[in-house]
Amino acid sequence: IVPKVLTRCLNVSKDQSINYDDMVWLPIAANLPVRKYDLLLVDEAQDLNRCQQQLALKASRRLILCGDDMQAIYGFAGADSDSLNKMRDILERREGGVKVLPLTVTRRCGKRIVQEAQSMVRDFTAHESNHEGHVYNLVREREGKQCDCGSVGVYNPDQCPKCNGLGIIKPSYRQIVSDNDMVICRVNAPLVSECFRFLAEGRKATIQGRNVAAGLINTITRQKATDANELRLKLQLWCDKKLTKELSKDNPSENRLMALSDKFDCLQVFVDGCETVQEVLDRINKVFTDDQDAPGIKLSSIHRAKGLESRRVFFLNGKDSPCPHPMAEQPWEVEQEENLWYVAVTRAIEELVHVV
């Protein structure tokens, strides 16, 4: 049925409307004339899908593509994970050819943070003027023993910063994190739990992504539940049905399974402790935002954090939030999971804290 649907979509006169996808697809599919620019610059070119690639070529006489193939993380949404290489191959056959100018030096990340990222991207280097930077590990919850002098260490769990004695308490990241710090995670569910804990402590905290909130609210609304208990049961049935449908396919999508599991876990956290459906909706609207200047602690999935930065970043990478995600199986999925780790690490300007 797909060819019939695409043929029908080419005839926009029937409904007299087009959407944003049509604006990219129709000029290519219908071979429409487009304004041609002497010079067209495309940012984030590693995430172009095949149609966007063709539109960029069609609309330009000269083309500048800026991107980082190690930040290609939107394959699950239809992006071409090999976009930069394919565009280079096409441009090499164009009159004038192509010139590759490497951009491997960062002025954002501290030198120690860059060393961490080099385990994944070897040619990634820090500018000589960059801050030295810090990378260290903390735990979700407090553990260990207190030093005899009564001091509690922050950066070094093995040595007391006051008397150089051993056996101090290893603090949890929650004791260290403060306003304007960023907490990032591969999936959303742990972020919701952490955000609620911050709010319960009287601290300000928000999660990046109004579109995430819209998806959660839409799923809740469709259940038509009368109270939170009924909603919890219906969400379980909804999740089981979706999982069964995906797993029954000849080639189930690991990305869809990951997204579904994360969405269900998020919804469960929001429903927990509520009595009415409206309470659940109010909770969701309270914590999600697209305001990057919102006060307090900023929590974000790695996908939403792309393009953002913070002086100090806490990277949740424990048993419930592994990165790379173990469900990734296809080679391009594994590659994009590794890219996500690289994106997460390079959000930090001065301090990167792995929370395990």
Side-chain angles (χ1 to χ4, degrees):
I1 197 174
V2 172
K4 293 182 179 180
V5 171
L6 292 176
T7 300
R8 165 65 182 82
C9 290
L10 283 171
N11 186 1
V12 298
S13 62
K14 285 193 175 182
D15 52 17
Q16 294 294 313
S17 66
I18 60 173
N19 63 19
Y20 289 115
D21 291 329
D22 291 331
M23 293 181 183
V24 177
W25 179 71
L26 281 170
I28 303 304
N31 195 26
L32 303 177
V34 300
R35 178 181 295 180
K36 211 171 185 70
Y37 294 91
D38 289 334
L39 179 63
L40 181 65
L41 189 150
V42 180
D43 196 14
E44 303 291 0
Q46 77 278 352
D47 288 319
L48 295 178
N49 60 40
R50 299 295 294 275
C51 199
Q52 290 169 329
Q53 293 169 14
Q54 292 302 313
L55 184 59
L57 292 165
K58 188 180 181 75
S60 63
R61 294 184 179 88
R62 292 179 298 152
L63 187 60
I64 297 177
L65 300 169
C66 294
D68 180 354
D69 55 354
M70 292 302 297
Q71 292 194 50
I73 59 175
Y74 290 106
F76 72 93
D80 182 354
S81 59
D82 199 31
S83 174
L84 285 175
N85 287 330
K86 287 180 180 175
M87 290 295 281
R88 182 191 61 204
D89 292 343
I90 293 171
L91 291 171
E92 282 178 343
R93 298 192 293 271
R94 260 191 172 190
E95 184 180 355
V98 64
K99 187 170 185 178
V100 178
L101 302 174
L103 294 170
T104 58
V105 180
T106 178
R107 292 177 180 265
R108 170 201 289 153
C109 304
K111 295 174 183 176
R112 180 64 188 86
I113 297 165
V114 170
Q115 289 177 9
E116 184 84 352
Q118 284 173 340
S119 65
M120 195 70 69
V121 186
R122 293 184 179 181
D123 62 352
F124 184 62
T125 58
H127 191 267
E128 59 183 11
S129 65
N130 288 17
H131 186 277
E132 190 62 31
H134 300 283
V135 177
Y136 52 97
N137 296 338
L138 287 178
V139 292
R140 289 262 189 111
E141 305 298 336
R142 191 168 169 175
E143 64 178 23
K145 297 180 180 180
Q146 189 170 0
C147 182
D148 292 338
C149 73
S151 177
V152 175
V154 174
Y155 299 122
N156 188 343
D158 301 317
Q159 188 172 17
C160 175
K162 185 175 180 180
C163 70
N164 293 323
L166 300 178
I168 64 170
I169 291 176
K170 186 174 184 179
S172 73
Y173 95 98
R174 301 181 60 79
Q175 297 171 267
I176 311 301
V177 67
S178 58
D179 287 358
N180 298 317
D181 287 344
M182 181 182 290
V183 179
I184 58 178
C185 186
R186 169 63 181 85
V187 289
N188 282 293
L191 296 174
V192 176
S193 298
E194 294 299 300
C195 188
F196 281 169
R197 292 184 66 181
F198 288 131
L199 294 173
E201 294 168 1
R203 308 171 74 178
K204 294 181 179 179
T206 55
I207 305 174
Q208 291 289 313
R210 286 298 304 171
N211 63 333
V212 177
L216 296 174
I217 290 172
N218 183 53
T219 299
I220 290 172
T221 304
R222 288 186 176 186
Q223 306 312 310
K224 298 181 179 179
T226 57
D227 57 41
N229 285 331
E230 184 182 2
L231 176 61
R232 185 180 291 105
L233 294 173
K234 286 192 171 184
L235 286 173
Q236 184 66 65
L237 293 173
W238 164 83
C239 183
D240 291 343
K241 183 178 179 180
K242 290 284 188 180
L243 285 173
T244 301
K245 182 178 180 181
E246 186 63 36
L247 291 170
S248 66
K249 296 179 180 179
D250 292 337
N251 296 292
S253 167
E254 287 83 8
N255 276 289
R256 289 197 188 95
L257 293 171
M258 280 188 275
L260 178 60
S261 176
D262 186 31
K263 188 173 187 178
F264 176 70
D265 290 342
C266 280
L267 290 166
Q268 290 291 89
V269 175
F270 278 114
V271 174
D272 188 37
C274 291
E275 294 183 1
T276 68
V277 175
Q278 189 58 50
E279 282 183 78
V280 181
L281 298 176
D282 290 343
R283 274 186 163 190
I284 294 173
N285 284 316
K286 182 178 181 179
V287 300
F288 281 100
T289 181
D290 281 334
D291 183 5
Q292 297 176 19
D293 297 321
I297 302 165
K298 297 173 176 59
L299 299 98
S300 175
S301 68
I302 301 174
H303 284 99
R304 295 294 304 182
K306 188 172 180 292
L308 304 181
E309 63 185 19
S310 180
R311 186 188 69 81
R312 180 162 56 183
V313 169
F314 294 84
F315 183 10
L316 305 185
N317 197 5
K319 293 181 179 179
D320 63 342
S321 53
C323 183
H325 200 289
M327 286 183 67
E329 295 183 358
Q330 299 296 325
W332 71 269
E333 292 174 330
V334 174
E335 180 181 289
Q336 297 226 330
E337 287 295 316
E338 293 173 348
N339 291 353
L340 279 167
W341 183 91
Y342 166 65
V343 169
V345 167
T346 53
R347 298 312 92 197
I349 299 174
E350 296 179 12
E351 296 182 39
L352 171 66
V353 186
H354 291 285
V355 181
V356 296

